[in-house]
Amino acid sequence: MKKFLLFVTMMLATLGGKAQTVEPNSEGMTLNAQEWTRNVVMGWNLGNSLECPRTETEWGNPKTTQAMIKAVAGKGFNAIRIPVRWINHVNNTKEMAVKPEWLARVKEVVDWALAENMYVIINSHHEDWYDRNPYYNKQEENNRKLGALWTSIATYFRDYGEKLIFAGTNEITVDWSAPSAEQQAVQNSYNQTFVDAVRNTGGKNYYRNLVVQTFACSPYHGLNGFTIPTDKVEGRLCVEFHYYDPYDYCGNCTYYYWGEAYKDKGRILTNSTESTITNLFDRIFNVWSKKGLGVVIGEYGVSNHFTNNDKQTQMENMQYYLKCVVSEARKHGFAAFAWDNNGFNNGSENFGIFRRQQNMEVGNIYFLNGITEGSKTEYEEPQGHQEEETPEGTIFWEGNSLLDWGNGLQLPIPASLFEGKSSDVRLVLTYTQEFKDYDDIQLFYGDWSEMMPFTVGNSGFTGDFNPSNYYFTGTGTSHVTAFGFSEATLAIVKQKGIVLQGHGIRLTKVAIATPTGITTITDEGTVTNAPVYTIDGRRTSRTQPGHLYIQKGKKYIAR
């Protein structure tokens, strides 16, 4: 009786489409979302083809063939993302039923990939009617059309096995700036409509893993506003973001070197290095993976760019960047898909790996090598992003000043404040995020000779700290952040002091946290500076070795 009622309910709930709904079919649908993403070793995008406005050759690429897919698989890629534009191939915009010939063409490419034992994503890509209109006055109509569109697509592919998954939207944005509450809400509604539409077609779609997107496919906007859709089944949803960070290196190509490993070769962006990837992916793991979501990096890459006087080093640097991204993705269990648009010139929008007009010969061996090297990393559950309890300290400065590079506060912090301090000393800043574009806190040595390395929590940085990227919060949010230093860095600080500046930050207090001398042994064997209390409940800053104290609700022995 329950199965009959479920069947009737699903029939009535179908969004906009006229497809016949069938009962759920779990046969062969064993992989959950995280198992699916962890199985993706190397993912590749069939970029600038099926998502063209009218024909797949419209943007200069040849028609996709089975030989192309075989060639990609032959180089170690075991997964493919197939961007698809549907709106130019529907019968009418009311019913949104996709024309049979276009469904057949997409099916042909999907089948070629499945024949190579690849994992496959098909999505809804460059659908300007909804992805550039995230507004309330368009929300109802766009959701109706989106639901009907995915009903049509999902019904056609309903009997396909678990290696095929669907991704509901792509990069929904207006001007690539942070979304308003309205825009974020509309994106979240699109995700819910997509999930409901696919599930309501029944069959294997009821259990199929599905991919929903953050606003603009930005990890930062997602961590600050993405809502997990309600689903009828557990553990079958993935969240998607794209990663072309830092964009001045990967997209705009105004920097030619990236990473701490290459800082001696030329100018690098110090606020986006190897640790930036690790810290971000740790946070994503904690926020999404630990809730049972799979994570899909639907696109990543660096556009080919170089100068003639150091081309070899710069090509090797791009290889290194791709290795770092893929390695961290694999380590965290994320499915990463390299963007390949068949572009091989020097500058922006040249993400090509395979030359499609030349029998898929490898056109950028550095890109392929970087991806291959990174793919050898195995999944390991990360420890994640640890917050540090901010210790109390001696106030050095109080006020209400905006950090805005040379136009705002530039605060010298004298070396004398750090005399006699050990490496557990902390520079503690109290501030509010106040920015329209981005925020940044910079620490220089006091003679302005170079940016200095430091830690926040268990994360390492050099020179730049972006609160919005670390805490994933926006304008108006206040924080108390403790900056720590290695022994080597502290030794220089004791000679030169520190200069503090930045952008988009309203600073209200600067303190030097004096170590208490309390060292405790925790259950995990780690050291912490959280407040310590005696057994009778009195807070203390002086402990005696061998005596019992309470910290974070647990008993510890000071040593």
Side-chain angles (χ1 to χ4, degrees):
M1 183 64 178
K2 288 183 179 179
K3 286 187 177 181
F4 175 75
L5 291 175
L6 176 61
F7 173 73
V8 172
T9 301
M10 292 173 63
M11 282 288 289
L12 293 174
T14 300
L15 291 175
K18 295 183 178 179
Q20 292 183 350
T21 306
V22 300
E23 289 191 67
N25 178 6
S26 63
E27 183 179 357
M29 307 298 284
T30 60
L31 293 176
N32 64 32
Q34 293 186 350
E35 291 168 339
W36 196 98
T37 57
R38 291 171 191 170
N39 285 348
V40 173
V41 179
M42 291 169 58
W44 180 77
N45 269 277
L46 179 63
N48 288 16
S49 288
L50 297 184
E51 79 274 28
C52 293
R54 285 164 290 275
T55 67
E56 64 182 284
T57 61
E58 189 173 347
W59 287 347
N61 284 325
K63 189 173 182 178
T64 305
T65 65
Q66 185 171 14
M68 290 181 184
I69 306 301
K70 279 182 173 290
V72 173
K75 291 299 182 182
F77 290 90
N78 75 327
I80 182 172
R81 179 174 177 259
I82 306 171
V84 184
R85 190 189 306 234
W86 304 93
I87 190 62
N88 300 100
H89 305 278
V90 299
N91 288 322
N92 61 69
T93 57
K94 182 177 181 180
E95 294 184 358
M96 296 295 289
V98 183
K99 295 177 182 178
E101 57 268 26
W102 187 239
L103 285 167
R105 174 56 181 158
V106 176
K107 176 183 183 299
E108 185 174 40
V109 179
V110 169
D111 288 346
W112 290 337
L114 292 174
E116 299 301 319
N117 204 30
M118 300 176 86
Y119 292 83
V120 182
I121 297 177
I122 58 174
N123 78 345
S124 171
H125 205 99
H126 289 322
E127 304 283 356
D128 292 346
W129 55 274
Y130 71 78
D131 69 17
R132 292 300 179 267
N133 287 286
Y135 299 110
Y136 289 140
N137 63 354
K138 297 283 188 178
Q139 183 176 11
E140 182 177 356
E141 174 65 9
N142 285 347
N143 273 303
R144 183 197 64 77
K145 291 167 66 175
L146 185 65
L149 175 65
W150 272 107
T151 296
S152 177
I153 300 166
T155 301
Y156 186 85
F157 288 98
R158 179 167 47 201
D159 295 332
Y160 274 65
E162 63 186 358
K163 286 201 165 182
L164 173 65
I165 67 176
F166 307 145
T169 63
N170 185 47
E171 294 172 339
I172 292 178
T173 186
V174 177
D175 56 9
W176 302 103
S177 60
S180 65
E182 174 185 18
Q183 293 162 355
Q184 190 78 263
V186 174
Q187 165 75 83
N188 287 330
S189 76
Y190 290 163
N191 288 334
Q192 187 65 63
T193 291
F194 159 69
V195 172
D196 291 343
V198 175
R199 294 288 182 244
N200 288 338
T201 62
K204 293 185 177 181
N205 287 338
Y206 192 85
Y207 298 97
R208 191 176 308 283
N209 288 305
L210 303 177
V211 188
V212 292
Q213 291 68 41
T214 65
F215 188 87
C217 274
S218 161
Y220 311 110
H221 299 335
L223 289 164
N224 199 32
F226 166 78
T227 300
I228 301 173
T230 301
D231 198 7
K232 296 178 178 179
V233 290
E234 292 185 5
R236 298 300 174 104
L237 290 181
C238 303
V239 59
E240 177 184 355
F241 69 90
H242 297 170
Y243 197 75
Y244 297 100
D245 286 3
Y247 199 72
D248 280 343
Y249 175 72
C250 297
N252 288 336
C253 304
T254 54
Y255 283 74
Y256 291 90
Y257 305 93
W258 174 87
E260 286 291 309
Y262 281 79
K263 67 180 181 180
D264 62 330
K265 306 298 182 183
R267 186 173 61 115
I268 67 167
L269 282 158
T270 55
N271 63 342
S272 183
T273 63
E274 295 90 336
S275 62
T276 305
I277 301 174
T278 302
N279 296 339
L280 174 63
F281 287 14
D282 279 352
R283 183 68 181 221
I284 288 170
F285 184 91
N286 279 346
V287 173
W288 290 330
S289 298
K290 287 188 175 180
K291 293 179 182 177
L293 293 173
V295 176
V296 172
I297 306 176
E299 299 175 16
Y300 72 89
V302 54
S303 185
N304 187 51
H305 63 295
F306 55 84
T307 59
N308 291 329
N309 63 341
D310 200 16
K311 178 179 178 180
Q312 182 65 33
T313 302
Q314 292 160 2
M315 297 302 295
E316 291 171 355
N317 192 188
M318 287 183 279
Q319 175 174 321
Y320 174 71
Y321 170 84
L322 292 171
K323 173 186 175 181
C324 289
V325 173
V326 177
S327 179
E328 287 297 330
R330 289 282 295 149
K331 183 169 71 176
H332 289 77
F334 303 167
F337 292 79
W339 183 251
D340 184 346
N341 63 354
N342 195 32
F344 296 94
N345 292 321
N346 180 7
S348 298
E349 292 300 319
N350 289 285
F351 296 93
I353 301 172
F354 299 98
R355 294 188 183 274
R356 298 182 206 176
Q357 288 91 343
Q358 285 83 42
N359 297 317
M360 296 296 280
E361 69 177 32
V362 176
N364 195 323
I365 190 62
Y366 297 94
F367 285 10
L368 180 60
N369 286 346
I371 294 167
T372 303
E373 291 168 4
S375 73
K376 295 176 182 178
T377 302
E378 296 293 333
Y379 168 74
E380 56 182 65
E381 185 165 333
Q383 294 302 307
H385 177 91
Q386 298 175 0
E387 303 291 350
E388 177 180 308
E389 281 203 29
T390 305
E392 296 179 358
T394 302
I395 296 174
F396 164 67
W397 177 93
E398 277 190 293
N400 191 319
S401 295
L402 185 67
L403 303 187
D404 189 21
W405 309 136
N407 297 320
L409 176 68
Q410 292 177 309
L411 184 66
I413 304 173
S416 59
L417 291 178
F418 298 91
E419 290 179 1
K421 300 294 192 295
S422 59
S423 59
D424 55 352
V425 68
R426 297 291 185 268
L427 177 68
V428 184
L429 307 184
T430 303
Y431 58 92
T432 301
Q433 294 172 239
E434 187 174 308
F435 62 98
K436 294 181 180 178
D437 42 11
Y438 67 98
D439 56 358
D440 192 10
I441 295 172
Q442 289 187 331
L443 298 183
F444 286 82
Y445 290 120
D447 60 358
W448 293 95
S449 57
E450 61 179 312
M451 289 182 163
M452 52 186 289
F454 54 84
T455 59
V456 176
N458 68 329
S459 302
F461 302 87
T462 299
D464 294 271
F465 174 73
N466 307 109
S468 57
N469 290 357
Y470 184 83
Y471 296 111
F472 302 100
T473 52
T475 299
T477 308
S478 297
H479 301 285
V480 179
T481 302
F483 296 79
F485 315 107
S486 67
E487 291 184 6
T489 298
L490 184 60
I492 300 174
V493 169
K494 287 178 178 180
Q495 296 177 359
K496 299 182 177 181
I498 298 172
V499 176
L500 165 68
Q501 72 166 12
H503 175 73
I505 297 295
R506 185 163 294 280
L507 191 66
T508 56
K509 186 186 298 184
V510 177
I512 308 298
T514 305
T516 62
I518 299 172
T519 306
T520 59
I521 305 172
T522 72
D523 290 349
E524 298 79 26
T526 59
V527 175
T528 177
N529 287 317
V532 175
Y533 300 86
T534 61
I535 290 299
D536 61 0
R538 291 179 291 109
R539 183 168 177 170
T540 180
S541 60
R542 297 180 180 274
T543 63
Q544 294 180 314
H547 284 225
L548 195 64
Y549 298 92
I550 297 174
Q551 191 177 53
K552 290 188 174 182
K554 296 182 180 180
K555 294 179 180 179
Y556 299 101
I557 297 176
R559 63 180 182 184

